Amino acid sequence: MTQVRIQAEERPILKIFCNDFVFNVPNYQRPYSWGTEQALELYDDLLAALAPDKKIEDNDPYFLGSIVLIKEENQPKAEILDGQQRLVTLTILFAVLREWVSEDSKAGITRLLYEQGDIITGTKNEYRLILRERDMNFFREYIQEPGGIKKLLDSESNTRNPCENEAQEKIYQNAKLFWEKIKDRSPEQNQRLAQFIAQRCLLVVVSTSDFSSAYRIFSVLNDRGLDLSITDILKAEIIGKIDVQFQRDYTKKWEDLEDDLTRQGFQELFSHIRMIYRKTKPKNMLEEFRKYVLEELKPEEFIDSVLEPYAGVMTEIRNADAEVSDKIRNTVNRYLFWLNRIDNKDWIPPAMQVLKEKRDDLEYVERFLKYLERLAAGMLIWRANVNERINRYGEILNYLKDSGNLFADDSPLMLKNEERARIKQKLAGDLYLEVPTVRLYVLLRLDEHLSDGKAKYEHNVISVEHVLPQTLSGTWREHFSEDEHQKYLHKLGNLVLLSRNKNSSAGNYGFQEKKDRYFTRNGTSSFALTTQVIGEAEWTPEVVERRQKVLLKHLLDIWEL
């Protein structure tokens, strides 16, 4: 058996961006994902490490970490398994510095970015770093080529944005960041920074010719805290197992889905798929995904039959725009709208499963989402912890798998008698003292019901405010005793919604002044709840008591409590 050799060597950047390496980001790799926060941190660290009063060669070396490559010995081609983010960001920084140094220094920086071709000998430019296929030409045109940065930044004033996906947008934003940081420095300062990075900044290059060995190194580094996601690892494994002639097509499918959902959303998708298959709280996400999702699926089958359809359903759910029959579309998407306002996403896997498997059963889908919203809202109101939520949704997924009757009284989708009692107790109590997400959800849900579903909640700010103020003073004492103040202050009947931030001084207003100056804008309110209060001539214990009973009954009707 041939022994696989692993090499690790410390090199300055000028010995990395050279003819010894042609770095390739393989198509199965994740896209460029560093944001301006990481880019700025790198820039600030480099400036802090550069001593202003020393010759470049006398500066202490600055360690930039390690990169992991799949590379044959004595061959320049190197596939990047880990290190893409730093290599791309350094390339962007060099490209910006090139625009702000003297003419004599520009050629030296260009040589770090590519080996120039020769028209006489017929050789083409040899780029040091080649990104994944969909970003490669963008990176060459706007970053590696001289003048590309200016063309990219000038595009901001044009109607055409050259960025076609999230990775290209991040490249653009980081180029813009470096440009703003560097433009006011002198050419000499920028030359020193470029010299320091090239000569005194070091990377440890770990390379092996064997994918499995490189992946083991990658996994160890990941366990020690490198910013690598589970989807990156799974992408390498899954795409790597597909026949080479089909890898490009499946890589495109994968990356299209990731671009559509965004990187964070794509990671959430994998978490939801794991839940659908495993139906329990995750312990080791990566191992569980391999065992319970991938073990009996071919790589192509996973992408075609699992990843792609679930991604589509997740997009519908996130946008509250399910593609179902017109007969139920408005109702279904209204339930999805409210589910998306729940302060957790644990409900999404059963919703995904029903929309994927039961879409054509209109009555089933409509009833399921109605009761799912009721359950999710109930658990929000009684503050079920994450374990309760995961277990409950896991039970629902098991019912779906076993074709159980989810609409039976004893199914996990339905509220138990004691659960309904807990919810009613919370709603009838001091609702304002519940966490903000609870009281806002309840009041918005109630407000929509009072407006016959016509209300739209697209305000930048929505706050919950008391009618009877928290401090009993002035004319309020004419109607409320101390005991009545304590009894009604935080109750549902004393609360309104406002499309503005709270104003503590407004609490001192009398009722009429509060209505005129605080509860309305141009004499009206956006909320049915608040409009009702504006219609009251005075605010007394009897009014709050009546309102409390009426509003509580509406909530009991909404959720069939």
Side-chain angles (χ1 to χ4, degrees):
M1 187 181 207
T2 305
Q3 186 173 7
V4 176
R5 185 180 177 193
I6 299 174
Q7 295 179 300
E9 182 181 9
E10 186 178 80
R11 283 180 173 241
I13 295 299
L14 63 86
K15 293 294 185 182
I16 289 174
F17 288 162
C18 69
N19 289 342
D20 292 348
F21 298 94
V22 176
F23 296 106
N24 285 266
V25 177
N27 282 329
Y28 59 75
Q29 262 286 16
R30 61 174 171 168
Y32 180 67
S33 59
W34 266 20
T36 52
E37 184 178 350
Q38 293 101 323
L40 180 59
E41 183 180 2
L42 174 65
Y43 177 79
D44 287 344
D45 288 347
L46 291 169
L47 281 188
L50 173 56
D53 54 348
K54 290 183 179 180
K55 295 179 179 180
I56 293 298
E57 59 268 25
D58 293 335
N59 270 260
D60 293 332
Y62 182 73
F63 181 56
L64 286 168
S66 59
I67 58 176
V68 180
L69 309 175
I70 303 170
K71 181 179 181 296
E72 295 285 350
E73 197 171 352
N74 300 321
Q75 295 295 320
K77 183 180 179 181
E79 286 193 1
I80 305 170
L81 200 56
D82 180 54
Q84 175 195 178
Q85 309 301 321
R86 275 159 294 169
L87 294 176
V88 172
T89 308
L90 285 170
T91 300
I92 297 170
L93 179 53
F94 275 133
V96 175
L97 283 168
R98 178 173 57 186
E99 299 296 328
W100 294 99
V101 296
S102 66
E103 289 298 323
D104 293 341
S105 302
K106 291 181 186 290
I109 295 179
T110 294
R111 279 193 293 275
L112 295 171
L113 305 185
Y114 63 87
E115 182 70 22
Q116 285 188 293
D118 190 313
I119 194 171
I120 302 301
T121 59
T123 57
K124 297 181 180 180
N125 293 340
E126 288 288 344
Y127 294 90
R128 309 294 187 202
L129 176 60
I130 302 169
L131 297 198
R132 62 178 187 158
E133 189 170 339
R134 64 176 51 198
D135 300 326
M136 177 179 65
N137 290 332
F138 174 91
F139 196 64
R140 285 182 182 177
E141 180 178 357
Y142 293 110
I143 302 297
Q144 291 165 308
E145 290 287 350
I149 291 283
K150 282 186 176 180
K151 185 162 59 171
L152 178 61
L153 298 182
D154 285 345
S155 70
E156 191 175 59
S157 59
N158 299 329
T159 56
R160 178 182 174 271
N161 181 354
C163 302
E164 296 178 350
N165 55 51
E166 189 178 7
Q168 292 177 15
E169 184 65 31
K170 287 182 180 296
I171 290 169
Y172 164 69
Q173 292 297 339
N174 288 338
K176 183 178 178 182
L177 168 74
F178 290 147
W179 186 276
E180 292 300 318
K181 290 291 180 181
I182 286 168
K183 68 178 183 179
D184 294 327
R185 291 161 47 87
S186 70
E188 292 75 24
Q189 287 176 312
N190 292 327
Q191 178 178 300
R192 273 182 58 83
L193 178 57
Q195 289 173 316
F196 172 71
I197 298 170
Q199 298 177 34
R200 303 304 292 163
C201 291
L202 309 175
L203 277 170
V204 169
V205 180
V206 182
S207 61
T208 174
S209 61
D210 178 69
F211 178 89
S212 298
S213 299
Y215 176 73
R216 282 196 297 273
I217 298 165
F218 171 90
S219 300
V220 169
L221 292 173
N222 183 51
D223 290 342
R224 293 179 184 177
L226 283 179
D227 185 20
L228 305 171
S229 77
I230 287 171
T231 57
D232 299 329
I233 297 170
L234 290 173
K235 182 181 181 183
E237 291 182 4
I238 294 166
I239 301 293
K241 291 177 181 176
I242 295 175
D243 191 293
V244 174
Q245 64 178 318
F246 302 117
Q247 280 189 3
R248 175 178 292 185
D249 291 339
Y250 279 99
T251 296
K252 184 179 186 303
K253 274 191 180 185
W254 186 291
E255 292 177 354
D256 284 345
L257 296 175
E258 188 170 27
D259 285 343
D260 289 343
L261 289 171
T262 75
R263 185 163 172 77
Q264 180 179 345
F266 197 60
Q267 292 173 23
E268 290 174 6
L269 171 64
F270 275 72
S271 176
H272 297 325
I273 291 173
R274 185 219 66 88
M275 178 63 184
I276 289 168
Y277 278 79
R278 184 68 178 107
K279 304 173 181 62
T280 61
K281 187 178 180 181
K283 295 179 180 178
N284 185 320
M285 172 73 177
L286 183 59
E287 290 305 319
E288 289 178 357
F289 204 95
R290 288 169 177 152
K291 181 176 181 180
Y292 295 99
V293 182
L294 298 176
E295 195 167 74
E296 296 185 8
L297 291 172
K298 295 179 180 178
E300 299 91 334
E301 185 182 3
F302 167 72
I303 295 172
D304 291 336
S305 303
V306 177
L307 188 62
E308 198 167 33
Y310 277 127
V313 170
M314 182 172 160
T315 298
E316 293 178 75
I317 289 172
R318 290 171 70 183
N319 296 334
D321 189 20
E323 295 183 7
V324 293
S325 167
D326 289 343
K327 292 181 180 179
I328 63 169
R329 179 170 295 179
N330 289 339
T331 306
V332 162
N333 288 329
R334 185 166 61 87
Y335 288 132
L336 290 176
F337 170 83
W338 288 112
L339 281 162
N340 275 301
R341 293 194 80 106
I342 298 289
D343 66 354
N344 63 77
K345 299 178 181 179
D346 302 325
W347 57 270
I348 293 181
M352 286 172 59
Q353 186 68 352
V354 165
L355 281 173
K356 179 175 180 287
E357 301 295 336
K358 305 278 191 178
R359 185 182 299 268
D360 294 333
D361 190 337
L362 304 186
E363 182 184 1
Y364 190 101
V365 171
E366 186 176 26
R367 289 184 71 194
F368 177 84
L369 290 175
K370 172 185 176 180
Y371 289 116
L372 183 66
E373 189 271 336
R374 180 176 78 150
L375 175 62
M379 288 197 283
L380 170 71
I381 293 164
W382 83 63
R383 303 311 294 154
N385 63 43
V386 64
N387 290 325
E388 289 180 85
R389 297 195 306 265
I390 295 294
N391 289 339
R392 188 64 166 266
Y393 293 129
E395 291 175 18
I396 292 172
L397 287 165
N398 273 318
Y399 257 63
L400 287 168
K401 178 185 176 185
D402 298 335
S403 301
N405 182 6
L406 276 170
F407 306 118
D409 290 341
D410 60 349
S411 95
L413 182 63
M414 296 301 176
L415 292 170
K416 302 176 177 65
N417 289 336
E418 60 270 23
E419 292 170 345
R420 289 198 295 273
R422 288 170 71 185
I423 297 168
K424 286 190 281 188
Q425 183 181 22
K426 290 280 189 180
L427 295 175
D430 288 336
L431 182 65
Y432 185 84
L433 297 182
E434 300 296 330
V435 296
T437 51
V438 172
R439 65 188 185 228
L440 184 59
Y441 188 91
V442 169
L443 288 174
L444 286 172
R445 192 73 172 82
L446 175 59
D447 191 83
E448 189 221 32
H449 177 76
L450 294 175
S451 69
D452 294 325
K454 296 176 182 177
K456 302 292 183 184
Y457 303 105
E458 298 171 351
H459 312 79
N460 292 329
V461 175
I462 302 177
S463 63
V464 177
E465 178 62 290
H466 299 82
V467 181
L468 173 65
Q470 299 198 53
T471 301
L472 191 63
S473 61
T475 58
W476 292 103
R477 288 187 175 278
E478 298 173 11
H479 296 289
F480 290 87
S481 67
E482 292 288 350
D483 287 344
E484 289 169 331
H485 180 254
Q486 291 300 312
K487 177 180 178 181
Y488 292 115
L489 176 61
H490 300 306
K491 293 293 194 298
L492 173 64
N494 189 50
L495 303 178
V496 292
L497 290 165
L498 300 179
S499 57
R500 65 181 76 182
N501 288 314
K502 292 185 181 182
N503 181 349
S504 57
S505 65
N508 299 321
Y509 297 163
F511 180 56
Q512 190 60 47
E513 186 179 18
K514 218 170 190 181
K515 289 195 297 178
D516 295 341
R517 296 179 56 188
Y518 190 34
F519 290 172
T520 64
R521 283 184 173 174
N522 301 319
T524 62
S525 170
S526 305
F527 303 103
L529 273 170
T530 312
T531 299
Q532 287 182 344
V533 172
I534 295 168
E536 298 288 346
E538 58 182 1
W539 203 250
T540 65
E542 293 75 22
V543 171
V544 183
E545 181 68 33
R546 167 173 51 79
R547 181 175 162 81
Q548 174 77 7
K549 289 179 180 177
V550 170
L551 295 182
L552 185 57
K553 184 179 185 306
H554 280 301
L555 286 173
L556 301 186
D557 290 343
I558 290 169
W559 287 312
E560 297 182 4
L561 298 175

